[in-house]
Each structure stands twice: as structure tokens, then as C-alpha cells.
Amino acid sequence: MISINELRSIHSELNKFNKMKSILSSVLCVALLASNARSQTVCPETPTCDEQQNQQLDGSCNNLLNPGWGTANRPYARFVPANYADGIWEPAHTRSGNPLPNARKLSLNLFGETEMEHPRNTLVSMQFGQFVAHDLSFTADAGGIQCCAEGRVVPRELASSRCLPIEVAQDDPVLGVEGIECMNLVRTKTTLEDPCSTLEGEMAEQLSSVTAYLDLSVVYGNSLEQCNSLRTFERGQMKVEQRNGKPWLPSHPNKTATCNVKDDSESCFLTGDVRSNQSPHLTLIHQAFVLEHNRLAGELAELNPDWDDGVLFQQARKINIAQYQRIVYYEWLPIYLGRQNMVEAGVLPELDGRNFARDYNQTVDPAVDNAFATAAFRFFHNLIAGHLDLVAESQQPTGSIRLSDWFNNPSVLEKDQNYESLSRGMVYQPHDRPNVHLTPEVKHYLFRHGGRVGVDLKAIDIQRARDHGLASYNDYREFCGLPRVTSWEEFGDLLRPQSVGSISEQYESVDDVELAVGGALERHYGDGMTGETFSCILLDQFRRTRVSDRFFFENDSKFTARQLHEVRKSTMARVLCDNTQGLEEIQEQAFFLVNEENPVVSCRQLPVVNLDRWR
């Protein structure tokens, strides 16, 4: 008969064997992926840079010493060592070696779904945040892989090595009732299977497929080829289509594969970013900045008849990006990060005697932090409203649409008077409060595409952070110079009250708590909306994004002093007014709700960027 000690010894050896098997499996998967990726691949050459050239569409040559910095299809930055179970690629386990808590259960147990309106901020403020997020980051993916087909797990022997589906329990109160067993999640492409990666080492680093600069790549694309498909090559204009007396974004050439539409008679738009059709309001923001480019190019053509198409396009793009950067740093970011926080962290520039920024730093790499893209900037998911108001000219709601009815289907914009009604709704409806709740529309019905249920955005955020090997909440606190949490009681001073008791029931140890969970549950920090850990990550990123950008609009020689004075008049309200038919009036600060200090005014009363300075 085998003794207890012998059983323990056998169990220990089995654990060692299983761990080694897991490591070997990961190494084999990565080797196969790398081998497949490297076949018949031609890598781009290091570009030759000219200090006087225009800002490149792919981000190259922004930094003259390191021309590849900030370009598309490069790894995310990682400032805290990755947490992989095998040290290479396998998602983390708990410190004891057990699986981490199920991502869907964490979403259900720690994050509520009660919708509460924000008392001050508009939906356009939240929606602009998604627009900015897409401009900075897009995880490189392998489309079309099914890890969870129609709610059922694809057998391991048939599934791709990229699969990391989220299991759904039978007693799940929403998805389980519908017989859903899993949610699809495909792992992000990494340096290990990228044939052009120059990073040394065997640890996986995920790739972002867009530039790391705030350069409106969501409008212009991330390559010359992509941008050319969006241009008319006449008078500097971007392509638009006229229908029913309105200009629209160009139709996507492959609508049914790109959008959730039945046939080519429905709307699906082609832009610089494939995600532009995700929600009606996001599409409206995209349209506004494309039309703003065309408005600028048209005015510049009148002022400068001798300018050809290329000059008009580049000048209009340069001004459009500058206006956008001004809105991001001076009008929008202070709402969420806090102006005082931004000043203390160096996010806002110090200006010289001529009012130009004086802190451009070519030694700073703009690469987007993996923790920023995969956890901290996803804070905005809590602000999504589940129903979008249709608002009349009187500023009164006349109805609403359900967000999940129109994911990846912008056709609703061309129905009835919805274009005007949804545009007004975006500036008069509040977004949700920044708390531990998410609207059910994204917690249970995200991308349901006509089905009874969809997927859970919060669960996907948690699982994606594991895919990317993000270090723990405590590790990021230490990186930010904050004290590590050593007991569950210490969370009482850090987290929102309703979360303190629950988090200890989900994790084995305080060191197992994940950044995507702990950071999202923190109380707000300083004069911002996010907690101190997320604030640290967000502030650092937006500082690096600015000081590393040679083309940032306030840097010396990018504009004349008089031109810069004009760019600084830019506001979101003016962009929306100039490029939204039927919007004749708006509050001066579009990111804030109407009140006595922020009254509705005629669009004609808003400050105007005087392009005579570019004559």
C-alpha cells in the first residue's frame, strides 16, 4: 500500500512533468508560428530621412536618430517585466500555480451593470476617447480564427495555438441561460512570429499595427497605400460620397465581410481604421474629421490657387492633426487626467518666450505602453452609455436606439433623420459615471449581431491583459513608486468601497490581483477620474507621446507664431459645427453638458481658425 508521503512525492513529480510539458508545448507552438511567419517574407528597409519632409503616414522618420520609432507594426513598450507562466508566452497562473480566476466570473462578481448618468460630461467626450485610443493602439490580430464557434469551445486538437477563449459557467445568469459555453478570444500577434522583429530574446512582445503618434492615422491610415485609397488626388481632398444631399464617408468595398450588414445596400464605411464602424457615434467622429480635412483643403485652395493637390493635401492634413492635438491635450485630457496632475507629470509643455514648446526630446521612445493599451486606457469602457438618444433641434430627446442593435452597422445613420438626431444626442446626452459598473449592452450583449446575447467587454479586457502577459497590480504600483499592497485590509484605502470586500473572495493572494482588475476598481486620484495606478500609466504615456513627437503642433518651426495662435482657437465644438449638417448651435465646450457656464450658442459665435495666416 502506498504511503501518504509517497503519494505526495508522485503528485509533486506529476506537477513538475505537467509544467515541463506546458513549457515545451508553448515553445513548440511559438516555433511553428515563427516558422510559418518567416516563409517568403520581405522586411522593410530602414528609411532614409529628410529633416524637411512631411510627417510620414507610417510614423517613420519622426525621430531622425531612430527612424523606426513610433512606426506601425512594432512591439508595445513594456516597463514592468512580463508575467508569463512559462517565461515565454503562456498566460500567468497564481503564485501557487493554480489558474487565475475565470475572467467572466471576475466581471460578474466585481463589476456591476447599473447605468448612472454623469452629471457633467457628454457622450461625445467618451466617444472622442475611443477615437484617441484607436489612433494610438491596435493589437495585431489574426482574423477569422474561431476558438469558440457559436458559443461552443472548439476542441483543442482542432483549435489554433492562438486560441485563448473565455469559459462561461452553466449557471451564468445571462450567457449560461442561453447555452453559451465560451467567448471567442484570439491571441495577439507577437515578436516571436514576426519575421521582421529585431528584438532579441525569447519572450513574446505583442505588436501594435498602428503608429504610436497622435497623427490622425484613424483618418489617413498607417501607410501610403492605405492613404492613397482614401484620396481623390484633386484639390487635396479625401474621398466622400454624396447621398440625399449629405456628404458621407466612402463605402467599404467589402461591406459584408467588414460590417454586420446583410448586403451592399446597407452602410459600411471605408476609413483609415477598420474599427470606425463599431458604433454610430464613433462613425460620426470619423466623418467629422474627414470632412474637416476637406473643408481645410477647400479653403486653402481658394487662398492659394497655385498650390497643387499634393501641397493642399499635406497642408490640410498638417492643420487637421494640429487642431486635433490641441483638442486632445488642452480640452479633453484635463477632464479625465486632471489638469494639475498633467502639469505635475509634464504632460502639458513648458513654453518659451515665443509660446513654443521647448521640451521635444529625441531620446524618448513614443512606443505605446502595453499596460496603457491593454488596461489603463480601457478605463473608458466604464463610461459607455447603453442607449443613444435621438435629440430634436429643441434639444429634447425624441427616442433612443439600443447600442447593441447597431454594433458594426452604421446603417442607422442613414435612416430617417438619425444622422442629425444622433449627432445632437452625442453632444447633449451624458456618458455613464466612471465607477465599477458597465452598461449591460457591453457586459452581456457586445457584438451580439442580431443574436440574443453577445460577449462581455470587461471579461475580454481581463483575458486580453493575460494574453499580453501584463504584470500584477502590485508590480505596477511598485513601478509607479507606490507602496505594494501587503494585506486585503489595505485595499480599503485604495479601492471604491463596494469593491473592498469582494476582491479578497476572488483571488488567493494580494499578489495575484491583476492590473486590469485592481486598477479599474481604484478610487480617483487628484483632480482626475482614474485611480493612482492607472493615472501613473496614462500620464506617463501622454507625456511620452507628446515630447517624442517632432511634429507636435506646438514645437518650434512647425507653424509660425501667428499660425500657432490660430490653431490654439480649435475646439471640438467648432469641428462638430463645421462638419455636421443640421447642427446649427452647440454649447461652447462640447465635452461638457449645457449649463449656465456652458450655454448653447450659434455655431457662428464659436472661435474660428483664420486660414488667412496660411495664404
Side-chain angles (χ1 to χ4, degrees):
M1 190 169 180
I2 300 175
S3 69
I4 293 294
N5 287 336
E6 288 174 318
L7 282 173
R8 285 174 176 165
S9 177
I10 293 170
H11 180 69
S12 175
E13 291 302 316
L14 280 172
N15 278 341
K16 290 179 182 176
F17 171 77
N18 287 332
K19 186 172 183 180
M20 182 58 68
K21 181 181 175 183
S22 175
I23 291 173
L24 290 173
S25 177
S26 292
V27 171
L28 178 60
C29 286
V30 169
L32 287 171
L33 288 168
S35 176
N36 291 336
R38 283 176 168 80
S39 60
Q40 298 181 341
T41 299
V42 178
C43 297
E45 297 179 359
T46 302
T48 302
C49 300
D50 175 2
E51 189 171 358
Q52 303 303 318
Q53 69 189 164
N54 295 312
Q55 185 168 6
Q56 299 299 293
L57 290 154
D58 64 357
S60 64
C61 293
N62 189 309
N63 189 301
L64 297 175
L65 294 179
N66 297 279
W69 280 7
T71 55
N73 301 308
R74 281 178 60 83
Y76 288 104
R78 195 183 294 275
F79 298 109
V80 180
N83 183 16
Y84 294 120
D86 60 354
I88 301 171
W89 194 51
E90 184 185 347
H93 300 160
T94 64
R95 294 299 191 272
S96 67
N98 292 321
L100 283 164
N102 175 272
R104 170 65 173 174
K105 288 185 177 180
L106 286 172
S107 174
L108 290 171
N109 295 331
L110 293 176
F111 297 90
E113 52 194 81
T114 303
E115 297 185 69
M116 292 171 274
E117 294 183 343
H118 196 278
R120 189 183 180 198
N121 300 344
T122 61
L123 258 183
V124 71
S125 183
M126 178 283 297
Q127 195 59 74
F128 187 74
Q130 186 181 21
F131 187 75
V132 172
H134 288 182
D135 194 23
L136 287 173
S137 167
F138 191 8
T139 52
D141 208 346
I145 293 177
Q146 286 295 317
C147 308
C148 177
E150 297 183 357
R152 302 290 186 273
V153 178
V154 174
R156 182 179 293 274
E157 61 271 17
L158 301 177
S160 165
S161 57
R162 286 183 176 276
C163 283
L164 191 65
I166 302 167
E167 294 182 12
V168 175
Q170 288 184 348
D171 61 355
D172 188 286
V174 179
L175 303 185
V177 172
E178 298 296 330
I180 302 298
E181 297 176 355
C182 59
M183 289 180 271
N184 200 57
L185 192 135
V186 181
R187 300 196 66 178
T188 301
K189 183 179 178 181
T190 74
T191 51
L192 296 182
E193 67 249 43
D194 176 29
C196 300
S197 174
T198 58
L199 286 187
E200 296 181 0
E202 297 180 345
M203 185 176 292
E205 297 293 353
Q206 288 71 30
L207 301 174
S208 175
S209 56
V210 300
T211 71
Y213 299 105
L214 285 170
D215 56 2
L216 282 181
S217 60
V218 284
V219 170
Y220 300 106
N222 292 276
S223 69
L224 182 61
E225 180 183 14
Q226 187 180 16
C227 185
N228 285 348
S229 72
L230 302 169
R231 292 178 58 182
T232 67
F233 292 95
E234 295 180 1
R235 291 172 60 84
Q237 298 284 302
M238 303 279 286
K239 290 178 181 177
V240 295
E241 297 174 1
Q242 296 290 331
R243 284 192 296 278
N244 300 318
K246 296 185 182 71
W248 294 96
L249 294 165
S251 296
H252 199 286
N254 196 354
K255 291 183 178 182
T256 55
T258 304
C259 292
N260 180 40
V261 296
K262 297 175 183 176
D263 54 53
D264 286 344
S265 67
E266 296 187 272
S267 300
C268 179
F269 300 113
L270 178 69
T271 70
D273 191 284
V274 71
R275 297 164 291 181
S276 59
N277 296 287
Q278 279 188 353
S279 73
H281 282 169
L282 179 60
T283 304
L284 287 173
I285 298 287
H286 271 267
Q287 176 143 312
F289 277 95
V290 170
L291 295 181
E292 176 65 3
H293 171 95
N294 285 352
R295 186 190 70 80
L296 292 166
E299 286 197 29
L300 290 171
E302 295 297 321
L303 291 168
N304 302 283
D306 58 325
W307 285 7
D308 63 18
D309 168 74
V311 173
L312 287 168
F313 175 80
Q314 292 296 349
Q315 288 300 313
R317 174 173 173 252
K318 181 179 178 181
I319 298 170
N320 203 16
I321 293 171
Q323 293 181 155
Y324 163 67
Q325 290 179 341
R326 191 272 166 193
I327 292 168
V328 171
Y329 277 89
Y330 289 96
E331 191 177 1
W332 180 74
L333 272 180
I335 300 171
Y336 297 100
L337 298 188
R339 186 174 185 84
Q340 188 58 40
N341 291 346
M342 292 172 68
V343 170
E344 292 174 359
V347 177
L348 294 177
E350 295 181 15
L351 304 180
D352 64 21
R354 298 172 302 150
N355 275 331
F356 289 104
R358 61 183 184 184
D359 55 356
Y360 167 64
N361 189 337
Q362 62 184 348
T363 68
V364 174
D365 189 340
V368 171
D369 181 7
N370 210 323
F372 170 91
T374 316
F377 211 25
R378 299 193 179 204
F379 155 83
F380 284 91
H381 292 166
N382 291 36
L383 312 182
I384 297 171
H387 290 76
L388 311 182
D389 286 350
L390 302 168
V391 175
E393 287 186 71
S394 63
Q395 301 169 32
Q396 296 303 310
T398 59
S400 67
I401 63 170
R402 185 178 175 185
L403 183 60
S404 66
D405 283 342
W406 300 102
F407 284 131
N408 280 336
N409 185 353
S411 296
V412 66
L413 294 172
E414 297 199 56
K415 297 179 184 294
D416 304 320
Q417 300 299 312
N418 287 346
Y419 171 77
E420 293 85 352
S421 299
L422 283 167
S423 295
R424 285 190 290 264
M426 190 168 61
V427 297
Y428 294 133
Q429 180 184 351
H431 65 56
D432 268 19
R433 288 177 181 264
N435 52 27
V436 297
H437 295 265
L438 286 85
T439 172
E441 290 295 281
V442 299
K443 190 169 180 182
H444 308 303
Y445 306 107
L446 179 71
F447 303 139
R448 67 186 179 90
H449 297 163
R452 292 173 62 88
V453 294
V455 295
D456 178 354
L457 183 57
K458 178 52 69 175
I460 289 172
D461 287 349
I462 295 169
Q463 193 83 334
R464 181 64 72 193
R466 294 173 181 178
D467 166 31
H468 283 219
L470 292 193
S472 70
Y473 171 70
N474 252 343
D475 289 341
Y476 273 96
R477 284 186 61 81
E478 185 174 7
F479 163 74
C480 289
L482 303 169
R484 296 179 68 94
V485 178
T486 59
S487 69
W488 295 115
E489 289 73 24
E490 290 177 15
F491 275 111
D493 296 327
L494 300 175
L495 306 188
R496 299 174 189 272
Q498 60 268 48
S499 307
V500 175
S502 304
I503 197 166
S504 63
E505 299 172 359
Q506 306 303 316
Y507 288 95
E508 293 180 8
S509 161
V510 293
D511 286 319
D512 291 327
V513 176
E514 300 160 272
L515 177 66
V517 175
L521 297 175
E522 283 185 336
R523 304 170 187 259
H524 71 84
Y525 166 70
D527 60 343
M529 286 192 187
T530 55
E532 58 184 355
T533 309
F534 273 5
S535 289
C536 159
I537 296 167
L538 292 166
L539 289 165
D540 173 73
Q541 181 63 59
F542 281 106
R543 180 193 63 82
R544 289 189 300 105
T545 299
R546 182 185 63 77
V547 302
S548 66
D549 185 359
R550 183 165 62 93
F551 293 98
F552 186 71
F553 82 101
E554 289 186 305
N555 288 350
D556 195 358
S557 79
K558 299 311 159 192
F559 294 102
T560 67
R562 288 183 173 183
Q563 289 172 343
L564 182 56
H565 175 74
E566 294 300 323
V567 170
R568 286 180 171 140
K569 296 178 183 177
S570 307
T571 64
M572 193 65 197
R574 185 81 239 185
V575 170
L576 292 173
C577 267
D578 283 339
N579 303 290
T580 309
Q581 287 194 5
L583 195 65
E584 303 296 334
E585 56 183 19
I586 193 173
Q587 62 270 39
E588 293 179 331
Q589 300 179 75
F591 294 138
F592 295 122
L593 295 169
V594 177
N595 57 34
E596 291 182 0
E597 289 77 36
N598 191 32
V600 172
V601 299
S602 167
C603 288
R604 292 188 297 273
Q605 294 178 249
L606 296 172
V608 178
V609 175
N610 183 0
L611 294 185
D612 279 341
R613 300 302 186 190
W614 281 263
R615 186 186 294 273

